Coordinates of all heavy atoms in Angstrom, one line a residue:
A6 N -0.3 9.2 -12.3 CA 0.5 8.6 -13.4 C 1.6 9.5 -13.8 O 2.5 9.0 -14.5 CB -0.4 8.2 -14.5
E7 N 1.4 10.7 -13.5 CA 2.5 11.7 -13.9 C 3.8 11.6 -13.0 O 3.7 11.5 -11.9 CB 1.9 13.0 -13.8 CG 2.6 14.2 -14.2 CD 1.9 15.6 -14.2 OE1 0.7 15.5 -14.3 OE2 2.5 16.5 -13.8
A8 N 4.9 11.6 -13.7 CA 6.1 11.5 -12.9 C 6.6 13.0 -12.4 O 6.6 13.8 -13.3 CB 7.2 11.0 -13.8
V9 N 6.8 13.1 -11.2 CA 7.2 14.4 -10.6 C 8.7 14.4 -10.6 O 9.3 13.5 -10.1 CB 6.7 14.6 -9.2 CG1 7.1 15.9 -8.6 CG2 5.2 14.5 -9.1
E10 N 9.4 15.5 -11.2 CA 10.8 15.5 -11.3 C 11.3 16.5 -10.2 O 10.8 17.6 -10.0 CB 11.2 16.0 -12.7 CG 10.8 14.9 -13.6 CD 11.9 14.7 -14.7 OE1 13.0 15.2 -14.5 OE2 11.7 14.0 -15.7
V11 N 12.4 16.1 -9.5 CA 13.0 16.9 -8.6 C 14.6 16.9 -9.0 O 15.2 15.8 -8.9 CB 13.0 16.3 -7.1 CG1 13.7 17.1 -6.1 CG2 11.5 16.2 -6.7
A12 N 15.0 18.0 -9.5 CA 16.4 18.2 -10.0 C 16.8 17.1 -10.9 O 17.8 16.4 -10.8 CB 17.4 18.3 -8.8
G13 N 15.9 16.8 -11.9 CA 16.1 15.8 -12.9 C 15.9 14.4 -12.5 O 16.2 13.5 -13.2
T14 N 15.4 14.1 -11.3 CA 15.2 12.8 -10.8 C 13.8 12.7 -10.5 O 13.2 13.6 -9.8 CB 16.1 12.6 -9.4 OG1 17.4 12.9 -9.8 CG2 16.0 11.2 -9.0
T15 N 13.2 11.6 -10.8 CA 11.6 11.4 -10.4 C 11.6 11.3 -8.9 O 12.5 10.9 -8.2 CB 11.1 10.2 -11.1 OG1 11.7 9.0 -10.5 CG2 11.3 10.2 -12.6
L16 N 10.3 11.7 -8.5 CA 10.1 11.6 -7.0 C 10.2 10.2 -6.5 O 10.7 10.0 -5.4 CB 8.7 12.2 -6.8 CG 8.2 12.3 -5.4 CD1 9.1 13.2 -4.5 CD2 6.8 12.8 -5.3
A17 N 9.8 9.2 -7.3 CA 9.9 7.8 -6.9 C 11.4 7.4 -6.7 O 11.6 6.8 -5.7 CB 9.2 6.9 -7.9
E18 N 12.3 7.9 -7.5 CA 13.7 7.6 -7.3 C 14.2 8.2 -6.0 O 15.0 7.7 -5.3 CB 14.4 8.1 -8.5 CG 14.2 7.3 -9.7 CD 14.9 7.8 -11.0 OE1 15.0 9.2 -11.0 OE2 15.1 7.1 -11.9
V19 N 13.7 9.5 -5.8 CA 14.2 10.2 -4.6 C 13.7 9.5 -3.4 O 14.4 9.3 -2.4 CB 13.7 11.6 -4.6 CG1 13.9 12.4 -3.3 CG2 14.3 12.4 -5.7
L20 N 12.4 9.1 -3.4 CA 11.8 8.4 -2.2 C 12.4 7.0 -2.0 O 12.7 6.6 -0.8 CB 10.4 8.2 -2.4 CG 9.6 9.6 -2.3 CD1 8.1 9.3 -2.7 CD2 9.7 10.2 -1.0
T21 N 12.8 6.3 -3.0 CA 13.4 5.1 -2.9 C 14.8 5.2 -2.4 O 15.2 4.5 -1.4 CB 13.6 4.3 -4.3 OG1 12.2 4.1 -4.8 CG2 14.3 3.1 -4.2
A22 N 15.6 6.2 -2.8 CA 16.9 6.4 -2.2 C 16.8 6.9 -0.7 O 17.5 6.4 0.1 CB 17.6 7.5 -3.0
L23 N 15.8 7.6 -0.4 CA 15.7 8.0 1.0 C 15.3 6.8 1.9 O 15.7 6.6 3.0 CB 14.5 9.1 1.2 CG 15.0 10.5 0.7 CD1 13.7 11.4 0.7 CD2 16.0 11.0 1.7
R24 N 14.4 5.9 1.4 CA 14.0 4.7 2.1 C 15.2 3.9 2.3 O 15.4 3.4 3.4 CB 12.9 4.0 1.3 CG 12.5 2.8 2.1 CD 11.8 1.7 1.2 NE 12.7 1.2 0.2 CZ 12.5 0.8 -1.0 NH1 11.3 0.9 -1.4 NH2 13.4 0.4 -1.8
D25 N 16.0 3.7 1.3 CA 17.2 2.8 1.4 C 18.2 3.5 2.5 O 18.9 2.8 3.2 CB 17.9 2.8 0.1 CG 17.1 1.9 -0.9 OD1 16.1 1.2 -0.6 OD2 17.4 2.0 -2.1
E26 N 18.4 4.8 2.5 CA 19.2 5.4 3.5 C 18.7 5.3 4.8 O 19.4 5.0 5.7 CB 19.4 6.9 3.1 CG 20.4 7.6 3.9 CD 20.8 9.0 3.4 OE1 20.5 9.4 2.2 OE2 21.3 9.7 4.3
I27 N 17.4 5.4 5.0 CA 16.8 5.2 6.3 C 17.0 3.8 6.8 O 17.3 3.6 8.0 CB 15.3 5.5 6.3 CG1 15.0 7.0 6.1 CG2 14.6 5.0 7.4 CD1 13.6 7.5 5.9
R28 N 17.0 2.8 5.9 CA 17.2 1.4 6.3 C 18.6 1.3 6.8 O 18.9 0.6 7.8 CB 16.9 0.4 5.2 CG 15.4 0.3 5.0 CD 15.1 -0.6 3.9 NE 13.7 -0.9 3.7 CZ 13.0 -1.3 2.7 NH1 13.7 -1.6 1.6 NH2 11.7 -1.6 2.7
V29 N 19.6 1.9 6.0 CA 21.0 1.8 6.4 C 21.2 2.5 7.8 O 21.8 1.8 8.7 CB 21.9 2.4 5.3 CG1 23.3 2.6 5.9 CG2 21.9 1.5 4.0
L30 N 20.6 3.6 7.9 CA 20.8 4.3 9.2 C 20.2 3.6 10.4 O 20.7 3.5 11.5 CB 20.1 5.7 9.1 CG 21.0 6.7 8.2 CD1 20.2 7.9 8.0 CD2 22.3 7.0 8.8
S31 N 19.0 3.0 10.1 CA 18.3 2.1 11.2 C 19.2 1.0 11.5 O 19.3 0.7 12.8 CB 17.0 1.7 10.7 OG 16.4 0.9 11.6
A32 N 19.8 0.3 10.6 CA 20.6 -0.8 10.8 C 21.9 -0.4 11.7 O 22.2 -0.9 12.7 CB 21.1 -1.5 9.7
D33 N 22.5 0.7 11.3 CA 23.6 1.3 12.0 C 23.2 1.7 13.4 O 24.0 1.3 14.4 CB 24.2 2.5 11.3 CG 24.9 2.3 9.9 OD1 25.1 1.0 9.7 OD2 25.1 3.2 9.2
H34 N 22.0 2.3 13.6 CA 21.7 2.7 14.9 C 21.4 1.5 15.8 O 21.8 1.4 17.0 CB 20.3 3.4 14.7 CG 19.7 4.0 16.0 ND1 18.6 3.3 16.6 CD2 20.1 5.0 16.8 CE1 18.5 4.0 17.7 NE2 19.2 5.0 17.8
Q35 N 20.9 0.4 15.3 CA 20.6 -0.8 16.0 C 21.9 -1.5 16.4 O 22.0 -1.9 17.6 CB 19.7 -1.8 15.1 CG 18.3 -1.3 15.0 CD 17.4 -2.4 14.2 OE1 17.9 -3.5 14.1 NE2 16.4 -1.9 13.7
E36 N 22.9 -1.5 15.5 CA 24.2 -2.0 15.8 C 24.8 -1.3 16.9 O 25.4 -1.8 17.9 CB 25.1 -2.1 14.6 CG 26.4 -2.6 14.8 CD 26.5 -4.0 15.2 OE1 25.5 -4.8 14.9 OE2 27.3 -4.5 16.0
L37 N 24.8 0.1 16.8 CA 25.4 0.9 17.9 C 24.7 0.7 19.3 O 25.3 0.6 20.3 CB 25.3 2.3 17.7 CG 26.2 2.9 16.4 CD1 25.9 4.3 16.1 CD2 27.6 2.8 16.9
R38 N 23.4 0.5 19.3 CA 22.6 0.2 20.5 C 23.0 -1.1 21.1 O 23.2 -1.2 22.3 CB 21.1 0.2 20.3 CG 20.6 1.7 20.0 CD 19.1 1.7 20.0 NE 18.6 1.5 21.3 CZ 18.4 2.5 22.3 NH1 18.9 3.7 22.0 NH2 17.9 2.2 23.5
R39 N 23.3 -2.1 20.2 CA 23.7 -3.4 20.7 C 25.1 -3.3 21.3 O 25.4 -3.9 22.4 CB 23.9 -4.4 19.5 CG 22.4 -5.1 19.2 CD 22.6 -6.3 18.3 NE 22.9 -5.8 17.0 CZ 22.1 -5.5 16.0 NH1 20.7 -5.6 16.3 NH2 22.3 -5.2 14.8
E40 N 25.9 -2.6 20.6 CA 27.4 -2.3 21.3 C 27.4 -1.6 22.6 O 28.1 -2.0 23.4 CB 28.2 -1.4 20.2 CG 28.6 -2.2 19.0 CD 29.4 -1.4 18.0 OE1 29.9 -0.4 18.3 OE2 29.4 -1.8 16.8
V41 N 26.5 -0.7 22.6 CA 26.3 0.0 24.0 C 25.8 -1.0 25.1 O 26.3 -1.0 26.1 CB 25.3 1.3 23.8 CG1 24.9 1.7 25.2 CG2 26.0 2.4 23.0
E42 N 24.8 -1.7 24.7 CA 24.2 -2.8 25.6 C 25.4 -3.7 26.1 O 25.5 -4.1 27.2 CB 23.1 -3.5 25.0 CG 21.9 -2.7 24.9 CD 21.4 -2.2 26.2 OE1 21.4 -2.9 27.2 OE2 20.8 -1.0 26.2
E43 N 26.2 -4.2 25.1 CA 27.3 -5.1 25.4 C 28.3 -4.4 26.3 O 28.9 -5.0 27.2 CB 28.0 -5.5 24.1 CG 27.2 -6.5 23.3 CD 27.8 -6.8 21.9 OE1 29.0 -6.4 21.6 OE2 27.1 -7.4 21.2
L44 N 28.6 -3.1 26.1 CA 29.6 -2.4 27.0 C 29.0 -2.2 28.4 O 29.8 -2.4 29.4 CB 29.9 -1.0 26.3 CG 30.9 -1.1 25.1 CD1 30.9 0.3 24.4 CD2 32.3 -1.5 25.4
K45 N 27.7 -1.9 28.5 CA 27.2 -1.8 29.8 C 27.2 -3.2 30.5 O 27.5 -3.2 31.7 CB 25.7 -1.3 29.6 CG 25.6 0.1 29.3 CD 24.0 0.5 29.2 CE 23.8 1.9 28.9 NZ 22.4 2.2 28.8
A46 N 26.9 -4.2 29.8 CA 27.0 -5.5 30.4 C 28.3 -5.9 30.8 O 28.5 -6.7 31.9 CB 26.5 -6.6 29.5
A47 N 29.4 -5.5 30.1 CA 30.8 -5.8 30.4 C 31.2 -5.1 31.6 O 32.0 -5.5 32.4 CB 31.7 -5.6 29.2
Q48 N 30.6 -3.9 31.9 CA 31.1 -3.0 33.0 C 30.3 -3.4 34.3 O 30.7 -3.1 35.4 CB 30.7 -1.6 32.7 CG 31.6 -0.9 31.7 CD 31.3 0.4 31.3 OE1 30.2 1.0 31.8 NE2 32.1 1.1 30.6
Q49 N 29.2 -4.3 34.1 CA 28.5 -4.7 35.4 C 29.4 -5.6 36.2 O 30.1 -6.4 35.6 CB 27.2 -5.5 34.9 CG 26.3 -4.7 34.1 CD 25.2 -4.0 35.1 OE1 24.9 -4.5 36.1 NE2 24.7 -2.9 34.6

């Protein structure tokens, strides 16, 4: 029940921000992989 603080921010806020950043990076990664697949298909 105790809030852990990291540089004035609660641990829950830090973890939420990290989760959101991972989701954005994952989406970017998937988009790049799709583009690579499209480029490969275009070169065939």
Side-chain angles (χ1 to χ4, degrees):
E7 185 178 321
V9 178
E10 294 218 9
V11 177
T14 308
T15 65
L16 183 58
E18 291 169 334
V19 171
L20 291 174
T21 300
L23 286 172
R24 183 199 63 211
D25 293 343
E26 187 169 340
I27 287 171
R28 285 182 176 159
V29 168
L30 290 172
S31 179
D33 290 347
H34 181 255
Q35 289 177 23
E36 181 61 31
L37 288 171
R38 291 188 69 84
R39 276 193 287 273
E40 289 177 18
V41 167
E42 291 297 322
E43 289 172 6
L44 289 171
K45 286 181 181 177
Q48 290 178 349
Q49 299 265 334

